[in-house]
């Protein structure tokens, strides 16, 4: 795989690191293995997915890591593969279908050759496979019921056409109800997520406004403190200046009175 192909949807000008190229190659290999029919004893895919997790963590820790959108898409695909393996380990097909319902495939193709993301194709294939398994299990349960078979007559036993059609209709109804229940549950979870997101955004907006108000109040308090300090200095200077003028005036008055008393004392004997 060439670097341009391994980088997939990333611009050519952006040089992908060797770790990212290895991650993309292994991711393509895991997607191809997931799309194929595997043996129950197949263990390589699980090991590969574990290696993908380690490589993804190392890629996130790099200094020159890709854009956040690319990292998020890698994480989404690795989580999808991990969840698919966990769903395959469940016992009943209904549990597998329900677990597969909540898996989120990748949104962007891994390579330039893909028109549709491989994980999305794997998701649809596994969904169809689990639905087929559920249908087979329900058919087996319906087929095992005594009422769906004709009693032995003339040494020959076989299913009645009317009962077989009724069983197929009941099976389709059960599957439709189960699918509607899954869709309703998914819609409720989406509504809950939207409500939680709306409440989070509203709380974030309120907190942001409170922070702005608090910042404005602190700024006004700083400005008032600076003005108070300036006015205090001016008042102190004015007070010192007034005291100096008053002191000089008192000294002049005292000197004038002293000189006047001396002159008065000298003039008074001459008048006698």
């Amino acid at each position: 795989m060439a670097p341009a192909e391994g980088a997939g949807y990333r611009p050519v000008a952006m040089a992908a690191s060797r770790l990212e190229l290895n991650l993309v190659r292994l991711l393509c290999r895991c997607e191809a293995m997931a799309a194929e029919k595997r043996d129950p004893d197949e263990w390589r895919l699980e090991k590969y997915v574990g290696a993908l997790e380690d490589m993804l963590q190392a890629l996130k820790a790099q200094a020159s890591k890709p854009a956040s959108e690319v990292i998020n898409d890698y994480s989404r695909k690795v989580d999808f593969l991990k969840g698919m393996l966990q769903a395959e380990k469940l016992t009943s097909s209904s549990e597998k279908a329900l677990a597969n319902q909540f898996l989120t495939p990748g949104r962007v193709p891994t390579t330039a050759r893909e028109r549709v993301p491989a994980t999305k194709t794997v998701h649809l294939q596994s969904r169809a496979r689990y639905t087929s398994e559920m249908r087979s299990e329900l058919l087996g349960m319906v087929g095992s019921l005594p009422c769906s078979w004709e009693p032995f007559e003339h040494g020959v036993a076989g299913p009645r056409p009317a009962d077989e059609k009724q069983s197929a209709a009941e099976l389709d109804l059960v599957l439709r109800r189960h699918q509607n229940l899954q869709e309703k549950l998914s819609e409720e979870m989406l509504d809950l997520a939207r409500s939680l997101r709306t409440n989070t955004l509203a709380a974030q907006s309120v907190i942001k406004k409170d922070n702005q108000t608090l910042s404005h109040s602190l700024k006004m308090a700083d400005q008032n403190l600076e003005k108070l300090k300036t006015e205090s200095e001016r008042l102190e200077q004015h007070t010192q200046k007034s005291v100096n003028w008053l002191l000089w005036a008192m000294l002049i008055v005292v000197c004038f009175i002293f000189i006047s008393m001396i002159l008065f004392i000298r003039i008074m004997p001459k008048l006698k």
Side-chain angles (χ1 to χ4, degrees):
M1 186 181 300
E5 180 183 353
Y9 50 86
R10 296 185 61 188
V12 179
M14 296 177 62
S17 62
R18 183 179 299 273
L19 178 61
E20 184 180 0
L21 292 177
N22 293 333
L23 185 143
V24 171
R25 293 190 182 98
L26 186 58
L27 182 59
C28 293
R29 177 60 179 165
C30 291
E31 290 173 350
M33 291 180 65
E36 297 173 354
K37 186 176 181 181
R38 304 184 310 278
D39 295 332
D41 298 334
E42 177 63 40
W43 55 269
R44 292 180 298 172
L45 181 58
E46 187 172 358
K47 296 295 183 181
Y48 289 167
V49 172
L52 277 176
E53 292 181 345
D54 297 337
M55 295 172 68
L56 183 60
Q57 294 298 327
L59 185 63
K60 291 180 180 179
Q62 277 188 348
S64 59
K65 60 184 179 181
S68 58
E69 294 83 3
V70 180
I71 292 291
N72 292 335
D73 194 68
Y74 288 158
S75 302
R76 191 179 295 110
K77 292 177 181 179
V78 173
D79 292 340
F80 170 79
L81 294 173
K82 185 178 179 181
M84 186 195 68
L85 292 175
Q86 292 177 355
E88 290 178 353
K89 295 179 180 179
L90 298 176
T91 55
S92 64
S93 57
S94 59
E95 293 178 353
K96 294 179 181 179
L98 184 61
N100 183 75
Q101 189 76 20
F102 295 106
L103 295 179
T104 305
R107 299 177 181 176
V108 183
T110 307
T111 62
R113 296 179 181 178
E114 298 177 0
R115 294 185 178 180
V116 180
T119 51
K120 188 173 183 180
T121 305
V122 173
H123 188 224
L124 295 176
Q125 290 177 353
S126 58
R127 181 178 180 181
R129 184 171 67 254
Y130 295 147
T131 304
S132 177
E133 290 179 1
M134 289 175 58
R135 184 186 295 271
S136 299
E137 288 182 1
L138 291 175
L139 281 174
M141 293 173 61
V142 172
S144 62
L145 294 177
C147 60
S148 62
W149 295 89
E150 280 283 332
F152 287 95
E153 294 180 355
H154 306 287
V156 178
R160 293 182 298 179
D163 291 341
E164 186 176 357
K165 292 181 180 179
Q166 183 179 2
S167 301
E170 291 177 355
L171 175 61
D172 293 336
L173 181 61
V174 170
L175 289 175
R176 195 177 300 112
R177 287 179 180 176
H178 185 72
Q179 186 174 2
N180 292 335
L181 181 61
Q182 290 182 352
E183 292 177 354
K184 184 178 179 181
L185 182 60
S186 301
E187 290 177 357
E188 289 179 356
M189 292 187 66
L190 288 176
D191 293 338
L192 181 62
R194 293 193 189 99
S195 177
L196 182 61
R197 181 181 179 184
T198 303
N199 295 333
T200 304
L201 292 176
Q204 184 178 1
S205 177
V206 172
I207 293 173
K208 186 176 181 180
K209 290 181 180 179
D210 292 341
N211 289 333
Q212 291 178 354
T213 304
L214 181 60
S215 300
H216 182 69
S217 300
L218 291 175
K219 186 176 180 181
M220 292 297 296
D222 293 337
Q223 291 179 357
N224 293 334
L225 183 61
E226 292 293 333
K227 290 181 180 179
L228 180 62
K229 188 182 296 184
T230 303
E231 294 297 330
S232 299
E233 292 176 356
R234 291 179 58 187
L235 179 61
E236 185 178 358
Q237 293 176 0
H238 181 70
T239 304
Q240 292 178 357
K241 185 182 296 184
S242 300
V243 171
N244 291 335
W245 280 107
L246 182 61
L247 181 60
W248 283 107
M250 291 178 63
L251 289 174
I252 292 172
V253 170
V254 170
C255 292
F256 178 75
I257 294 174
F258 179 73
I259 294 172
S260 300
M261 288 297 296
I262 293 176
L263 292 176
F264 180 75
I265 294 172
R266 288 184 177 272
I267 293 172
M268 285 302 293
K270 293 180 181 181
L271 292 177
K272 291 180 180 180

mmCIF file of all heavy atoms in Angstrom, residues 158-172:
data_model
loop_
_atom_site.group_PDB
_atom_site.id
_atom_site.type_symbol
_atom_site.label_atom_id
_atom_site.label_comp_id
_atom_site.label_asym_id
_atom_site.label_seq_id
_atom_site.Cartn_x
_atom_site.Cartn_y
_atom_site.Cartn_z
ATOM 1 N N GLY A 158 -46.237 -34.495 8.096
ATOM 2 C CA GLY A 158 -45.723 -33.311 7.382
ATOM 3 C C GLY A 158 -46.402 -32.055 7.881
ATOM 4 O O GLY A 158 -47.481 -32.112 8.469
ATOM 5 N N PRO A 159 -45.835 -30.903 7.649
ATOM 6 C CA PRO A 159 -46.411 -29.650 8.104
ATOM 7 C C PRO A 159 -47.598 -29.252 7.247
ATOM 8 O O PRO A 159 -47.624 -29.470 6.041
ATOM 9 C CB PRO A 159 -45.261 -28.650 7.944
ATOM 10 C CG PRO A 159 -44.423 -29.224 6.863
ATOM 11 C CD PRO A 159 -44.542 -30.703 6.986
ATOM 12 N N ARG A 160 -48.605 -28.686 7.839
ATOM 13 C CA ARG A 160 -49.755 -28.195 7.115
ATOM 14 C C ARG A 160 -49.441 -26.849 6.493
ATOM 15 O O ARG A 160 -48.838 -25.997 7.130
ATOM 16 C CB ARG A 160 -50.948 -28.079 8.065
ATOM 17 C CG ARG A 160 -51.454 -29.435 8.565
ATOM 18 C CD ARG A 160 -52.644 -29.279 9.460
ATOM 19 N NE ARG A 160 -52.309 -28.500 10.655
ATOM 20 C CZ ARG A 160 -53.207 -28.214 11.589
ATOM 21 N NH1 ARG A 160 -54.458 -28.619 11.466
ATOM 22 N NH2 ARG A 160 -52.837 -27.515 12.641
ATOM 23 N N PRO A 161 -49.860 -26.586 5.274
ATOM 24 C CA PRO A 161 -49.542 -25.312 4.615
ATOM 25 C C PRO A 161 -50.118 -24.124 5.363
ATOM 26 O O PRO A 161 -49.479 -23.085 5.462
ATOM 27 C CB PRO A 161 -50.171 -25.469 3.221
ATOM 28 C CG PRO A 161 -50.272 -26.949 3.016
ATOM 29 C CD PRO A 161 -50.516 -27.536 4.371
ATOM 30 N N ALA A 162 -51.346 -24.241 5.875
ATOM 31 C CA ALA A 162 -51.957 -23.102 6.574
ATOM 32 C C ALA A 162 -51.172 -22.761 7.830
ATOM 33 O O ALA A 162 -50.909 -21.573 8.121
ATOM 34 C CB ALA A 162 -53.409 -23.441 6.920
ATOM 35 N N ASP A 163 -50.792 -23.799 8.603
ATOM 36 C CA ASP A 163 -50.015 -23.546 9.818
ATOM 37 C C ASP A 163 -48.641 -22.983 9.490
ATOM 38 O O ASP A 163 -48.093 -22.153 10.227
ATOM 39 C CB ASP A 163 -49.872 -24.845 10.623
ATOM 40 C CG ASP A 163 -51.214 -25.276 11.209
ATOM 41 O OD1 ASP A 163 -52.098 -24.410 11.293
ATOM 42 O OD2 ASP A 163 -51.347 -26.462 11.561
ATOM 43 N N GLU A 164 -48.047 -23.447 8.386
ATOM 44 C CA GLU A 164 -46.729 -22.942 8.003
ATOM 45 C C GLU A 164 -46.813 -21.466 7.635
ATOM 46 O O GLU A 164 -45.954 -20.664 8.030
ATOM 47 C CB GLU A 164 -46.200 -23.759 6.837
ATOM 48 C CG GLU A 164 -44.756 -23.398 6.462
ATOM 49 C CD GLU A 164 -44.229 -24.289 5.364
ATOM 50 O OE1 GLU A 164 -44.964 -25.214 4.955
ATOM 51 O OE2 GLU A 164 -43.088 -24.054 4.928
ATOM 52 N N LYS A 165 -47.855 -21.065 6.892
ATOM 53 C CA LYS A 165 -48.020 -19.660 6.550
ATOM 54 C C LYS A 165 -48.286 -18.821 7.789
ATOM 55 O O LYS A 165 -47.766 -17.706 7.951
ATOM 56 C CB LYS A 165 -49.172 -19.503 5.553
ATOM 57 C CG LYS A 165 -48.879 -20.090 4.178
ATOM 58 C CD LYS A 165 -50.056 -19.882 3.242
ATOM 59 C CE LYS A 165 -49.756 -20.461 1.866
ATOM 60 N NZ LYS A 165 -50.913 -20.270 0.949
ATOM 61 N N GLN A 166 -49.108 -19.370 8.700
ATOM 62 C CA GLN A 166 -49.391 -18.647 9.934
ATOM 63 C C GLN A 166 -48.132 -18.485 10.775
ATOM 64 O O GLN A 166 -47.872 -17.427 11.362
ATOM 65 C CB GLN A 166 -50.476 -19.389 10.723
ATOM 66 C CG GLN A 166 -50.895 -18.648 12.000
ATOM 67 C CD GLN A 166 -51.991 -19.390 12.738
ATOM 68 O OE1 GLN A 166 -52.409 -20.465 12.311
ATOM 69 N NE2 GLN A 166 -52.454 -18.796 13.826
ATOM 70 N N SER A 167 -47.303 -19.546 10.827
ATOM 71 C CA SER A 167 -46.051 -19.459 11.583
ATOM 72 C C SER A 167 -45.109 -18.437 10.967
ATOM 73 O O SER A 167 -44.452 -17.673 11.674
ATOM 74 C CB SER A 167 -45.384 -20.839 11.628
ATOM 75 O OG SER A 167 -46.236 -21.789 12.236
ATOM 76 N N ALA A 168 -45.041 -18.406 9.629
ATOM 77 C CA ALA A 168 -44.185 -17.416 8.973
ATOM 78 C C ALA A 168 -44.679 -16.002 9.242
ATOM 79 O O ALA A 168 -43.885 -15.079 9.480
ATOM 80 C CB ALA A 168 -44.136 -17.692 7.470
ATOM 81 N N ALA A 169 -46.013 -15.817 9.230
ATOM 82 C CA ALA A 169 -46.563 -14.490 9.510
ATOM 83 C C ALA A 169 -46.279 -14.073 10.951
ATOM 84 O O ALA A 169 -45.912 -12.920 11.223
ATOM 85 C CB ALA A 169 -48.071 -14.485 9.248
ATOM 86 N N GLU A 170 -46.448 -15.030 11.880
ATOM 87 C CA GLU A 170 -46.140 -14.722 13.273
ATOM 88 C C GLU A 170 -44.663 -14.402 13.452
ATOM 89 O O GLU A 170 -44.289 -13.517 14.228
ATOM 90 C CB GLU A 170 -46.551 -15.896 14.158
ATOM 91 C CG GLU A 170 -48.050 -16.104 14.253
ATOM 92 C CD GLU A 170 -48.402 -17.325 15.081
ATOM 93 O OE1 GLU A 170 -47.452 -18.036 15.489
ATOM 94 O OE2 GLU A 170 -49.598 -17.566 15.325
ATOM 95 N N LEU A 171 -43.807 -15.136 12.749
ATOM 96 C CA LEU A 171 -42.372 -14.879 12.826
ATOM 97 C C LEU A 171 -42.030 -13.481 12.309
ATOM 98 O O LEU A 171 -41.267 -12.741 12.934
ATOM 99 C CB LEU A 171 -41.618 -15.935 12.025
ATOM 100 C CG LEU A 171 -40.110 -15.741 11.912
ATOM 101 C CD1 LEU A 171 -39.463 -15.778 13.276
ATOM 102 C CD2 LEU A 171 -39.505 -16.807 11.008
ATOM 103 N N ASP A 172 -42.622 -13.111 11.164
ATOM 104 C CA ASP A 172 -42.387 -11.766 10.643
ATOM 105 C C ASP A 172 -42.898 -10.701 11.605
ATOM 106 O O ASP A 172 -42.270 -9.648 11.785
ATOM 107 C CB ASP A 172 -43.062 -11.608 9.277
ATOM 108 C CG ASP A 172 -42.413 -12.478 8.210
ATOM 109 O OD1 ASP A 172 -41.228 -12.820 8.385
ATOM 110 O OD2 ASP A 172 -43.090 -12.822 7.222
#
